[in-house]
Amino acid sequence: MAEELAAEARKKLYLETVGCQMNMLDSEIVAAKLRSEGYELTDDVEAADAVFYNTCSVRQHAEDKIYSALGRVRKLKSRNPDLAVGVLGCMAQKDQAEILKRAPHVDLVVGPGQLDRVPELLAAVKSGGGKAMAVSKARRDGTLESIAQSFTVYDPDREPSLRPTPFQAYIRVMMGCDKFCTYCVVPSVRGPEQSRSPEAILTEAQMLVDQGVREITLLGQTVNSYEKKGQDGRTWRLSDVLNAVQGTPGIDRVRFVTNFPNDMTDDLLQAVRDFPGISRSIHVPAQSGCDVILKRMKRMYSVAQYDEMLARTRETIPGVAISSDFIVGFCGEDEASFERTMRLVERARFKNSFIFKYSTRQGTKADSLYPDDVPEDEKKRRNNALLALQTRISLEDNEQLVGRRFDVLVEGPSRSTTRREGWGGQEQLMGRTLCDRIMVFEGDERWVGRFVPVRVEAVSAVTLFGRVENPVEPA
Ligand code: 5AD
Ligand code: SF4
């Protein structure tokens, strides 16, 4: 009875996360902090005592979705004035007071550098203290003040239920970004680049292993720019961190995202080649295949340099899978520029590419320097054309994998609804290969979290379909 009452007395937190993996990790930390304040997570927004959105500002579309969600929450708040509504993350940092103007029922606005203050701010709001706002201040030169303090006080305590699966987790190895690509809002909302100490990273890896995690993804906006002096007096680079994490007993696989092309150094490539626990999949966004556009984007490399980096990567790591991001319709991108991007995608043979229509972001260099001059219809057309080309290439390259055998880390039941004819009985599972290719196959749900050998029988552009080689005994 007492237990029932205690359960009822727990307050409910509805926490919705959009955007990148960094946000998913931030949400894990916020949820854990609020759990120790007596909050438990709920999927039911109507039952919540606090409704939080952890937001993304990279494109306008992501922001629009949050404003419409806030519009829906307004009704809940008018029914239940005690409901606390919070906007966390990049939009909070970027729009600040603007959010309270557009959505006056919001109680908390907390930027990504201030998330450790959420419990204190929420308590103040709940005790009738009015609105709470915590954002990092801008320096004179427009860059953000250091957010190192919030960063180091981050409690390594996490909310495991928000992880992709119980045996996969993220570790942040660096925060912020110093590259200042002209289209990108990240440096102005996430602040300057700061690498974490190798000791903190390895302690967190050990804590995750103790919780049953077997696959770790190291996160950073430009993860391969990582550099930090350790207590041993050595300067650690990403290759050193990858090596140490993959060598942690209990860790089977380490992945790392996202890479900046200029920082793809040989020591990193050799680490991926030499250590069997490191994923042979490298995400290294090109953004455009046209030198004029790359210059306008201030990406600091030419197409020839990007091509050279790809060749070096493939030469060093046989069988590596490379993926990319592209922005189409950037200011001044004409048909000839776009064709150059098509040609890069044609020759680079990426495993996959994420393609985005340019979205002008207030406060960025591109927004103040260049007109957003490619019409929306044209952006859409280029997006579709590039996607069709990438899909054709992904399919062709996947077809070459039919008949090959891969060790697959089983993640769980397949979310895909496409069931192949003739499959009966067993559960349809999904997992990933070391090159981060998705494999769907029949098996036993007790295999989740284990490696199984799967032979590819059929493919689509995004999925391999296979059969488990030798019957695997459930653990
Ligand atoms: N418009 C469209 N796409 C963008 N990206 C970053 N900023 C913008 C923008 N203003 C894309 C880049 C980046 C990915 C995370 O988002 O391709 O690599
Ligand atoms: Fe944005 Fe460029 Fe930094 Fe990536 S490298 S986060 S695109 S500024």
Side-chain angles (χ1 to χ4, degrees), residues 58-59 183-184 285 287 325-327 356-359 361:
V58 167
R59 284 169 290 276
Y183 53 80
C184 186
Q287 311 296 2
D325 290 350
F326 287 95
I327 297 176
F356 306 102
K357 290 177 286 175
Y358 173 60
S359 167
R361 308 279 61 211

Side-chain angles (χ1 to χ4, degrees), residues 331-344:
C331 321
E333 185 189 74
D334 59 14
E335 193 53 37
S337 312
F338 174 64
E339 276 305 316
R340 288 186 193 103
T341 298
M342 291 282 277
R343 288 207 289 278
L344 170 59

Side-chain angles (χ1 to χ4, degrees), residues 58-59 181-184 221-222 258-261 283-290 293-295 297-301 303 306 323-330 333 337-338 340-342 344-345 350 353-356 358 386:
V58 167
R59 284 169 290 276
C181 302
T182 57
Y183 53 80
C184 186
Q221 305 297 342
T222 57
T258 287
N259 296 282
F260 192 73
H283 185 66
V284 54
Q287 311 296 2
S288 168
C290 169
I293 296 298
L294 286 175
K295 199 159 196 166
M297 288 177 163
K298 199 175 150 287
R299 288 292 286 180
M300 298 179 285
Y301 51 83
V303 179
Y306 188 86
S323 54
S324 184
D325 290 350
F326 287 95
I327 297 176
V328 294
F330 185 62
E333 185 189 74
S337 312
F338 174 64
R340 288 186 193 103
T341 298
M342 291 282 277
L344 170 59
V345 168
F350 297 110
S353 291
F354 298 97
I355 301 163
F356 306 102
Y358 173 60
L386 198 58

Side-chain angles (χ1 to χ4, degrees), residues 304-333:
Q305 284 165 327
Y306 188 86
D307 279 333
E308 180 278 327
M309 181 275 303
L310 282 185
R312 197 160 40 85
T313 303
R314 290 210 160 104
E315 200 177 301
T316 312
I317 314 165
V320 67
I322 301 172
S323 54
S324 184
D325 290 350
F326 287 95
I327 297 176
V328 294
F330 185 62
C331 321
E333 185 189 74

Side-chain angles (χ1 to χ4, degrees), residues 430-442:
M430 69 79 62
R432 279 168 214 268
T433 69
L434 194 59
C435 286
D436 206 30
R437 291 193 168 88
I438 295 169
M439 181 88 81
V440 170
F441 54 99
E442 279 207 343

Side-chain angles (χ1 to χ4, degrees), residues 52-200:
F52 284 0
Y53 295 96
N54 192 3
T55 59
C56 171
S57 280
V58 167
R59 284 169 290 276
Q60 184 62 41
H61 181 63
E63 294 190 351
D64 293 343
K65 276 187 12 203
I66 295 298
Y67 279 116
S68 34
L70 288 174
R72 291 192 296 275
V73 168
R74 186 195 293 258
K75 287 198 200 84
L76 293 179
K77 175 99 176 174
S78 59
R79 259 188 276 147
N80 172 15
D82 287 339
L83 178 69
V85 180
V87 177
L88 315 180
C90 294
M91 250 176 96
Q93 181 65 42
K94 177 173 155 284
D95 287 358
Q96 306 188 4
E98 173 77 20
I99 295 174
L100 297 175
K101 246 187 256 157
R102 280 185 67 176
H105 55 296
V106 168
D107 302 291
L108 271 107
V109 177
V110 187
Q114 310 287 328
L115 293 175
D116 55 304
R117 294 183 56 199
V118 167
E120 158 215 339
L121 298 169
L122 178 58
V125 165
K126 283 279 187 187
S127 61
K131 312 260 175 209
M133 172 135 72
V135 290
S136 300
K137 291 193 201 73
R139 295 201 209 95
R140 274 220 195 125
D141 63 0
T143 61
L144 281 189
E145 68 179 1
S146 167
I147 40 181
Q149 201 202 343
S150 316
F151 189 37
T152 48
V153 299
Y154 262 151
D155 193 327
D157 190 20
R158 310 263 210 90
E159 174 53 52
S161 71
L162 292 179
R163 289 187 191 142
T165 70
F167 54 90
Q168 294 174 302
Y170 302 120
I171 295 183
R172 190 194 318 267
V173 299
M174 49 129 61
M175 269 189 116
C177 182
D178 279 347
K179 305 288 187 204
F180 285 93
C181 302
T182 57
Y183 53 80
C184 186
V185 81
V186 167
S188 65
V189 292
R190 289 246 175 210
E193 179 184 309
Q194 297 168 70
S195 292
R196 275 180 96 187
S197 79
E199 293 80 22

